[in-house]
């Protein structure tokens, strides 16, 4: 069994191949059972949870077991980790059943998250999208913005509430060459000129999740929600066309969803219907399909 480190993952992955791998995954018949998270009771309000995201080739539909994989991501989330869960991905041979790879789950998570959100942006943002506003801080932002740049030609990126460390890492991304990157505190005014808005998380100097009551994107804007705990205005959720990654397990069951990435990738549902429509993407909790596809991609290329 090969152990694939975070450095090896970085060395073998590029944004565009990752996006196409994920696109093919959402078009496939990969089996992705839903396994509830397991609560871990610990003293002094230090409880956490352990999550499993299994997936495997649809061997029955394929008609043989000579090719394909069986895999599962394991993620541990404890309060001491400050929102950054640790994890591993184990990949088995579909024919022999032996474990063939153990992959760093944290770096896999970063690439998978970026790829899924960028794939959604490819379907839902306008093709002439060039101005991006990022609200809030998240350590995955440099990887996410690099993936965005693989699907849209950004000329300007404004960062609001992003730490200086994250700002520096964003600026150092090769995909940001030629892109004007600025910082603003005037979020309300900045959103008026945005073609796309990324709700990334709370501002770096706050300890609580933010309520975006002021969020009122212009017509035609695509809103990509990285921080699923952010409180979005009810008017926006009612007016925008809503999308998720997998509606078999939606992030919020009370909302009216238009389609998920499976339906978009397979051509069964439409994304943006007209130029001035506001679209909004919130990922679902299930990541088994994307993790599986990316783990196999890494195994074959590392």
């Amino acid at each position: 069994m090969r152990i694939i480190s975070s450095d090896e993952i970085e060395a073998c992955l590029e944004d565009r191949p990752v996006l196409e791998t994920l696109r093919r995954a959402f078009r496939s018949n990969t089996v992705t059972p839903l396994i509830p998270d397991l609560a871990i009771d610990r003293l002094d309000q230090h409880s956490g949870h352990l999550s499993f995201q299994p997936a495997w080739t649809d061997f029955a539909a394929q008609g043989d077991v000579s090719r394909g994989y069986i895999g599962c991501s394991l993620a541990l989330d404890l309060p001491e980790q400050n929102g950054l869960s640790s994890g591993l991905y184990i990949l088995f041979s579909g024919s022999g059943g032996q474990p063939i790879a153990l992959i760093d789950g944290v770096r896999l998570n970063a690439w998978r998250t970026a790829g899924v959100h960028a794939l959604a942006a490819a379907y839902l943002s306008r093709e002439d999208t060039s101005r991006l506003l990022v609200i809030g801080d998240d350590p995955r932002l440099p990887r996410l913005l690099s993936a965005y740049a693989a699907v849209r030609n950004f000329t300007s990126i404004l960062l609001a509430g992003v730490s200086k460390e994250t700002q520096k890492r964003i600026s150092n991304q090769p995909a940001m060459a030629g892109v004007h990157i600025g910082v603003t505190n005037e979020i309300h005014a900045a959103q008026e000129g945005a073609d796309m808005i990324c709700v990334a998380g709370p501002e770096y100097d706050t300890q609580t999740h933010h309520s975006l009551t002021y969020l009122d994107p212009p017509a035609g804007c695509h809103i990509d929600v990285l921080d699923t705990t952010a409180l979005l205005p009810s008017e926006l959720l009612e007016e925008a066309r809503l999308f998720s990654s997998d509606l078999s397990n939606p992030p919020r069951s009370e909302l009216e969803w238009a389609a998920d990435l499976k339906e978009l990738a397979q051509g069964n549902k439409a994304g943006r219907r007209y130029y001035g429509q506001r679209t909004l993407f919130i990922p679902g909790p299930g990541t088994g399909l994307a993790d599986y596809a990316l783990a196999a991609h890494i195994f074959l290329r590392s």
Side-chain angles (χ1 to χ4, degrees), residues 9 49 70 91 94-95 110 120 151-152 156 167-168 178 197 199 201 213 221 232 255 266 270 276 281 286 288:
I9 292 173
H49 66 265
I70 301 164
L91 193 66
S95 57
V151 300
R152 291 294 179 260
S156 171
Q167 291 175 30
K168 183 177 180 179
I197 296 174
V199 179
T213 55
C221 186
L232 303 173
L255 297 178
Q266 294 170 9
F281 178 78

Side-chain angles (χ1 to χ4, degrees), residues 63-121:
D64 67 77
V65 295
S66 62
R67 54 190 173 87
Y69 305 99
I70 301 164
C72 185
S73 64
L74 305 173
L76 178 63
D77 189 3
L78 299 176
E80 297 91 331
Q81 297 169 312
N82 296 317
L84 299 176
S85 61
S86 58
L88 295 168
Y89 196 94
I90 185 166
L91 193 66
F92 299 86
S93 166
S95 57
Q98 69 273 22
I100 54 178
L102 187 64
I103 302 171
D104 177 79
V106 175
R107 194 59 56 91
L108 176 69
N109 176 300
W111 276 90
R112 180 256 300 155
T113 299
V116 166
H117 284 264
L119 184 62

Side-chain angles (χ1 to χ4, degrees), residues 6 32 37 56 63 88 92 101-102 125 165 176 178 182-183 224 286-287 296:
S6 59
T32 54
D37 289 351
W56 55 82
L88 295 168
F92 299 86
L102 187 64
S125 65
E165 179 185 352
M176 296 296 103
V183 178
D224 186 37
T287 63

Side-chain angles (χ1 to χ4, degrees), residues 33-273:
L34 178 63
I35 307 296
D37 289 351
L38 299 179
I40 301 174
D41 293 328
R42 301 166 76 218
L43 298 175
D44 301 324
Q45 298 182 342
H46 286 274
S47 297
H49 66 265
L50 183 65
S51 64
F52 302 83
Q53 300 274 355
W56 55 82
T57 301
D58 189 343
F59 298 105
Q62 184 173 279
D64 67 77
V65 295
S66 62
R67 54 190 173 87
Y69 305 99
I70 301 164
C72 185
S73 64
L74 305 173
L76 178 63
D77 189 3
L78 299 176
E80 297 91 331
Q81 297 169 312
N82 296 317
L84 299 176
S85 61
S86 58
L88 295 168
Y89 196 94
I90 185 166
L91 193 66
F92 299 86
S93 166
S95 57
Q98 69 273 22
I100 54 178
L102 187 64
I103 302 171
D104 177 79
V106 175
R107 194 59 56 91
L108 176 69
N109 176 300
W111 276 90
R112 180 256 300 155
T113 299
V116 166
H117 284 264
L119 184 62
Y123 285 112
L124 303 175
S125 65
R126 302 194 318 259
E127 291 188 3
D128 63 352
T129 291
S130 63
R131 295 169 297 182
L132 172 67
L133 170 63
V134 178
I135 301 173
D137 196 35
D138 188 287
R140 298 170 294 181
L141 274 175
R143 169 82 351 253
L144 176 61
L145 267 58
S146 179
Y148 281 161
V151 300
R152 291 294 179 260
N153 184 25
F154 290 109
T155 59
S156 171
I157 297 177
L158 276 178
L159 307 175
V162 179
S163 70
K164 292 187 180 298
E165 179 185 352
T166 305
Q167 291 175 30
K168 183 177 180 179
R169 291 174 55 218
I170 290 172
S171 298
N172 290 336
Q173 287 289 321
M176 296 296 103
V179 180
H180 176 265
I181 300 175
V183 178
T184 183
N185 293 320
E186 301 295 330
I187 301 178
H188 191 275
Q191 67 179 328
E192 296 179 2
D195 301 317
M196 180 172 160
I197 296 174
C198 172
V199 179
E203 295 186 12
Y204 71 93
D205 57 355
T206 65
Q207 299 299 316
T208 59
H209 292 290
H210 50 281
S211 176
L212 298 172
T213 55
Y214 54 81
L215 190 62
D216 185 22
C221 186
H222 172 57
I223 305 97
D224 186 37
V225 182
L226 182 63
D227 177 16
T228 57
T229 67
L231 301 178
L232 303 173
S234 57
E235 296 83 1
L236 175 61
L237 295 173
E238 292 170 0
E239 187 273 337
R241 188 163 163 82
L242 305 182
F243 300 84
S244 188
S245 50
D246 184 358
L247 290 179
S248 64
N249 186 21
R252 295 175 59 176
S253 59
E254 77 278 9
L255 297 178
E256 183 177 347
W257 300 95
D260 62 18
L261 280 178
K262 288 183 178 180
E263 293 169 313
L264 293 175
Q266 294 170 9
N268 297 328
K269 293 284 185 69
R272 174 178 295 275
R273 286 180 168 173

